[in-house]
Amino acid sequence: DTEVVDFSSIDVSPPAPPRSNIACGPPEFGLFYDQQIDKEMQIIESGSQLKDDVPHSEPDVITSCVESYLEQDLLQDQDNHPTRLSIPSDQQFLDPVHSFLRSSCVEVFVCGIEEEALSASGGRGRGPKPHKEGQIGLRCAYCKDVPKRRRANQAVSYPSKTAHIFESVRNYQRIHFEACECIPMELKMKHRELVSKKPSRKVHLKYIKVYFAEAACEIGVVETANGLFFGAPPNTSGEPSEKLRAIMKMAENPTALKNRQLHDLVFPKVDERVENSKFSHIASAKTREVIENCRQERAAFVYPSDFPTLSDFRFVLYHQFAPCRPTATILSRRRIKPEKLKTLSGLYCKHCAKVAHPGEENGMYFPLDLESLHDSSFFNNLTCHIMTTCKHVPLETKEALEELQNFAAEHGVITKRGAKRMFLKKLWERMSNYYSAP
């Protein structure tokens, strides 16, 4: 996984200040900023209001910088936040394609009351949904006013961490950019021209990703449990921060001794167990006991060999299901001939099965193919039944699943696609061949 960057022009000396992003003010106004902040604080203490004596040359820039330093709350004035990801060092460090997307195509916006209401109601259909008012999202700058149903996919995203911003921009480039009907053709031609040019040097993708993350901090973005917000003063000096400078140096020469010493600053160590959604070492004693019992008990569809590569949550969840054959009602409702399901088993909540009367169908689930098993709505149905609907699931099992779910949300980890795909393939093979052919 490498991206190409031309390092011949890299210079970590202070770059020229930008004029297009209100988060990065020109350094020559530095003294004015300090004076204006002091004046603002004095007026706040005296209960007066600040008169408008901002110079006419850069009113929006100066106002934004003053308010950014004074406003430390997460909910800033939506009219004063930066609208682009781009910062001064982009032109020196990033390849032309990334610089083009960050400065000309992707817009930074703040979730308003309407978006929050849509999130609370669950919205309509699939797509990204913010957590609360004030959360930062990324969207296409050209179709933002178009009704949702007319937008191409990946028009809007809400990265939960700064580390996810790169993926959001890349998904926008790969899926949305060419499909969007609102992006002018001249911009699309410019993008194609930049992509077609052969860069002269290579840099590992990890440096590009961490640059995107740190660059967001440069414009005042902070991480919270509910996503990204504007809540820190932006870097208005016109110079890269110490960490951003270290990233640029390391990318230029990763093997240099001095740069290797900076590695821990740029890439802090992560707990691989947490990254793989394994939380036994930090879970409560009751949750650890539930996980250990699942490892000891025999189950029809999840085996001990699955444990190392499967998230703790899924391992415990699938342990709650037993095999079953479809009832006559299910066959009739789905219009399926019995001979098509000669060897296929469904998933039957083992707690419902213990108390069910003949013919009852509560807790039975029948995916008819691997694609159905992959469907996120099917997995959500299984989860909802075990954690909420079924009254027979032991309380300690429900609490363990809830704790594991909260750990995943707290640490911002999701099940890796490859591991999930491999397990579901195994699960489907076990289900489709569970019963012997007549």
Side-chain angles (χ1 to χ4, degrees):
D1 291 337
T2 59
E3 290 284 354
V4 178
V5 174
D6 183 0
F7 286 107
S8 60
S9 59
I10 287 184
D11 179 11
V12 294
S13 59
R19 297 285 178 172
S20 60
N21 194 332
I22 61 175
C24 305
E28 58 263 31
F29 286 108
L31 179 60
F32 177 80
Y33 294 153
D34 296 336
Q35 294 172 348
Q36 192 75 356
I37 292 169
D38 292 338
K39 185 177 181 181
E40 184 82 351
M41 295 304 296
Q42 292 172 4
I43 293 175
I44 289 174
E45 292 174 358
S46 64
S48 304
Q49 293 184 348
L50 178 64
K51 294 183 179 180
D52 185 9
D53 58 356
V54 177
H56 293 288
S57 59
E58 295 281 348
D60 293 335
V61 173
I62 297 171
T63 302
S64 173
C65 292
V66 171
E67 291 181 353
S68 295
Y69 277 107
L70 293 172
E71 183 60 61
Q72 297 298 317
D73 294 333
L74 293 180
L75 293 178
Q76 289 183 320
D77 188 340
Q78 293 189 18
D79 294 331
N80 294 312
H81 69 78
T83 59
R84 291 292 187 268
L85 292 169
S86 57
I87 60 174
S89 55
D90 283 5
Q91 296 295 326
Q92 296 173 296
F93 181 76
L94 293 176
D95 64 66
V97 176
H98 286 144
S99 295
F100 169 76
L101 294 171
R102 287 164 58 86
S103 64
S104 304
C105 304
V106 178
E107 180 176 282
V108 182
F109 74 102
V110 174
C111 169
I113 298 177
E114 294 182 1
E115 290 89 350
E116 182 185 18
L118 180 65
S119 173
S121 64
R124 298 183 63 183
R126 299 179 181 179
K129 298 179 179 63
H131 291 279
K132 60 183 296 186
E133 180 185 2
Q135 184 180 349
I136 294 173
L138 304 177
R139 67 187 176 190
C140 177
Y142 300 95
C143 64
K144 60 184 180 182
D145 297 322
V146 174
K148 181 180 178 181
R149 64 180 181 275
R150 291 179 52 195
R151 298 181 200 153
N153 290 337
Q154 294 295 327
V156 180
S157 64
Y158 290 89
S160 59
K161 293 184 174 183
T162 55
H164 299 163
I165 291 177
F166 175 82
E167 294 296 339
S168 293
V169 175
R170 185 161 67 171
N171 288 339
Y172 168 87
Q173 178 191 9
R174 290 179 172 178
I175 300 172
H176 181 83
F177 189 83
E178 289 293 340
C180 182
E181 298 178 354
C182 301
I183 297 178
M185 183 52 64
E186 52 267 30
L187 277 183
K188 291 186 177 182
M189 296 298 294
K190 176 66 175 177
H191 175 258
R192 294 168 191 168
E193 178 186 350
L194 294 174
V195 170
S196 65
K197 291 182 179 179
K198 185 178 180 181
S200 58
R201 280 197 161 187
K202 295 182 179 180
V203 60
H204 198 284
L205 186 62
K206 68 179 182 180
Y207 296 111
I208 302 296
K209 288 182 177 181
V210 75
Y211 178 92
F212 270 61
E214 187 61 25
C217 300
E218 297 280 281
I219 62 173
V221 175
V222 296
E223 290 185 6
T224 75
N226 291 322
L228 303 180
F229 290 79
F230 283 114
N235 179 5
T236 58
S237 66
E239 303 178 15
S241 65
E242 179 183 356
K243 186 172 181 180
L244 198 62
R245 197 183 292 263
I247 293 169
M248 297 168 71
K249 285 180 175 292
M250 289 183 62
E252 183 178 6
N253 189 3
T255 60
L257 177 60
K258 183 178 180 180
N259 290 344
R260 288 204 301 269
Q261 295 171 348
L262 295 173
H263 190 276
D264 290 342
L265 170 66
V266 177
F267 301 104
K269 294 181 179 179
V270 295
D271 190 329
E272 292 186 3
R273 294 172 295 182
V274 171
E275 287 291 306
N276 292 320
S277 299
K278 311 298 287 186
F279 303 113
S280 297
H281 61 296
I282 58 175
S284 64
K286 289 185 177 180
T287 297
R288 289 198 301 271
E289 183 178 356
V290 169
I291 295 173
E292 189 59 31
N293 289 339
C294 289
R295 298 186 67 180
Q296 300 297 328
E297 294 174 3
R298 183 176 180 180
F301 301 120
V302 60
Y303 302 160
S305 59
D306 298 321
F307 182 76
T309 57
L310 191 61
S311 70
D312 288 343
F313 181 89
R314 288 177 181 265
F315 186 80
V316 173
L317 179 69
Y318 284 109
H319 251 277
Q320 311 310 311
F321 291 93
C324 66
R325 287 188 181 276
T327 64
T329 306
I330 291 176
L331 292 173
S332 174
R333 186 166 60 243
R334 294 199 177 188
R335 299 178 182 179
I336 303 171
K337 295 181 179 180
E339 53 268 23
K340 287 190 175 182
L341 300 176
K342 291 179 180 178
T343 62
L344 177 65
S345 169
L347 297 174
Y348 193 5
C349 171
K350 66 181 184 182
H351 309 287
C352 291
K354 293 177 182 178
V355 299
H357 298 288
E360 287 189 1
E361 303 172 5
N362 291 336
M364 288 186 177
Y365 299 90
F366 286 91
L368 297 181
D369 51 36
L370 180 58
E371 183 179 354
S372 301
L373 194 60
H374 269 284
D375 194 324
S376 60
S377 62
F378 181 80
F379 176 76
N380 291 339
N381 288 337
L382 300 182
T383 303
C384 182
H385 176 83
I386 297 298
M387 295 185 66
T388 307
T389 307
C390 184
K391 299 178 181 179
H392 310 294
V393 177
L395 180 60
E396 56 267 23
T397 300
K398 291 187 176 185
E399 290 179 344
L401 287 170
E402 183 178 3
E403 183 176 355
L404 294 172
Q405 201 173 50
N406 291 338
F407 276 135
E410 178 184 342
H411 292 277
V413 296
I414 57 175
T415 304
K416 295 183 179 180
R417 294 180 182 178
K420 181 171 68 174
R421 188 184 304 111
M422 288 178 61
F423 171 73
L424 290 179
K425 185 178 179 180
K426 294 178 183 178
L427 177 60
W428 177 248
E429 291 175 354
R430 296 164 188 172
M431 291 175 60
S432 58
N433 298 300
Y434 185 82
Y435 294 108
S436 302

